[in-house]
Amino acid sequence: MLRMSEVMSPPGAACTQPLSANEIFRALPPGYSISRPVLDQYLSLLVDDPMEFVGRSGDSGGGMFVINLHRALASLARAALESIVQERFGSRSARIFRLLLRKRHLEQKQVEDFAMIPAKEAKEMLYTLLSHNLVQLQEIPKTPDHAPSRTFFLYTVNLLPTARMLLQHCYKTVANLIERRLFETKENKRLLEKSQRVEAILASLQATGAETAQLAEVEDMVTAPERQQLDALRHHVNKLDSSENQVDETIFLLESYISSTQTTH
């Protein structure tokens, strides 16, 4: 359904263009060996799924179906935020974060009870999340004087502002990773240039059919300690590249979710 909708659906659309069950059936690869009744069952299961990624938009052509792209992006963004909270603050804080996402608004006592975390520990975790703007506190007064004793204090998570804040953190993280990689490369510039020259000479000699002894002599131009330093540098730079790729994926996801939310509203 996604592949069929790639060309038909406009960029930034909240949902894909409707597809009929007949169109979907005709587009199935022969190797799938899915009969029409089985396809109808699969589509019904997708429509009835609580995540609601697939919806039914009509009955013509055996039923019209759409993919809710915004809902899918929101679910992915939510999972990314939960993962970030777990990595930075631990599994119990992530449990509280997920609980607030699901329940929307809870008092501190309710958080303790639902999350099954001791009062003191739950209070500390809530304040930590609050101090990092991952959780917000909403005051609902019972009386006009806003007296604390007559006010509800409800914890909540606003997904969109939290996603925007973490997106800014991701930008800073990528900038730091790039800066660190440039620093490491600059610090080892001479060694890297020497290694590149030796590799170029070796490639040239191998192309002309040089003897093994001659190749070994050129390889020895880079000493054992220098090789160890090069290996350590490459390992470190590869880790920086891998981290940057992971953060880039999170940036893409959060940007897509934020853009989708703005388009939807």
Side-chain angles (χ1 to χ4, degrees):
M1 289 175 67
L2 277 173
R3 287 174 183 166
M4 293 172 68
S5 304
E6 282 176 349
V7 180
M8 299 165 55
S9 302
C15 293
T16 59
Q17 289 292 321
L19 292 169
S20 70
N22 292 338
E23 290 176 304
I24 297 169
F25 182 68
R26 286 195 296 268
L28 288 174
Y32 280 19
S33 301
I34 296 176
S35 64
R36 180 55 193 271
V38 172
L39 174 64
D40 290 338
Q41 290 177 2
Y42 285 155
L43 289 171
S44 296
L45 287 171
L46 288 170
V47 170
D48 294 338
D49 187 271
M51 301 300 288
E52 298 181 349
F53 291 159
V54 175
R56 191 180 183 107
S57 62
D59 296 320
S60 60
M64 303 295 291
F65 300 89
V66 297
I67 297 175
N68 192 323
L69 299 174
H70 171 68
R71 192 178 293 276
L73 284 170
S75 180
L76 288 170
R78 176 172 169 161
L81 298 184
E82 290 174 5
S83 177
I84 291 170
V85 171
Q86 179 155 339
E87 287 178 12
R88 290 185 61 185
F89 305 104
S91 59
R92 289 194 166 192
S93 292
R95 190 193 309 170
I96 291 174
F97 188 79
R98 280 193 294 269
L99 179 66
L100 291 172
L101 278 171
R102 190 168 67 251
K103 297 290 188 180
R104 301 292 180 87
H105 296 87
L106 290 175
E107 291 184 280
Q108 182 177 314
K109 182 67 170 65
Q110 291 175 307
V111 171
E112 298 164 8
D113 293 341
F114 283 126
M116 294 184 289
I117 296 174
K120 182 181 178 182
E121 200 173 338
K123 183 178 180 181
E124 290 174 354
M125 291 176 179
L126 281 168
Y127 286 179
T128 299
L129 293 173
L130 190 63
S131 67
H132 286 83
N133 295 319
L134 292 165
V135 163
Q136 292 75 41
L137 189 61
Q138 187 174 347
E139 298 181 12
I140 302 179
K142 297 178 187 176
T143 55
D145 59 359
H146 287 261
S149 59
R150 293 185 293 277
T151 299
F152 291 112
F153 294 94
L154 302 178
Y155 288 94
T156 186
V157 174
N158 294 323
L159 192 59
L160 183 59
T162 304
R164 287 196 179 111
M165 179 194 69
L166 289 175
L167 180 60
Q168 295 303 315
H169 288 326
C170 287
Y171 289 147
K172 292 177 184 177
T173 300
V174 167
N176 290 337
L177 289 168
I178 293 172
E179 188 176 345
R180 185 65 194 182
R181 185 173 60 243
L182 291 173
F183 172 79
E184 293 288 347
T185 305
K186 186 178 179 181
E187 284 291 298
N188 297 274
K189 183 179 179 181
R190 289 184 181 179
L191 181 58
L192 287 169
E193 289 176 348
K194 180 180 178 180
S195 174
Q196 288 169 357
R197 286 196 302 270
V198 170
E199 287 175 0
I201 294 170
L202 282 171
S204 177
L205 290 173
Q206 287 170 346
T208 57
E211 295 180 359
T212 306
Q214 192 176 2
L215 294 174
E217 185 179 345
V218 174
E219 287 176 350
D220 289 341
M221 291 171 64
V222 179
T223 65
E226 286 175 333
R227 290 188 187 283
Q228 289 179 351
Q229 189 177 345
L230 278 169
D231 289 342
L233 174 63
R234 285 169 182 149
H235 178 69
H236 189 45
V237 169
N238 286 340
K239 285 181 68 175
L240 291 172
D241 288 341
S242 177
S243 298
E244 186 181 340
N245 289 335
Q246 289 176 356
V247 179
D248 280 341
E249 289 178 3
T250 304
I251 287 174
F252 173 73
L253 173 58
L254 294 178
E255 284 181 341
S256 299
Y257 163 66
I258 292 167
S259 175
S260 172
T261 303
Q262 291 170 342
T263 303
T264 304
H265 296 292

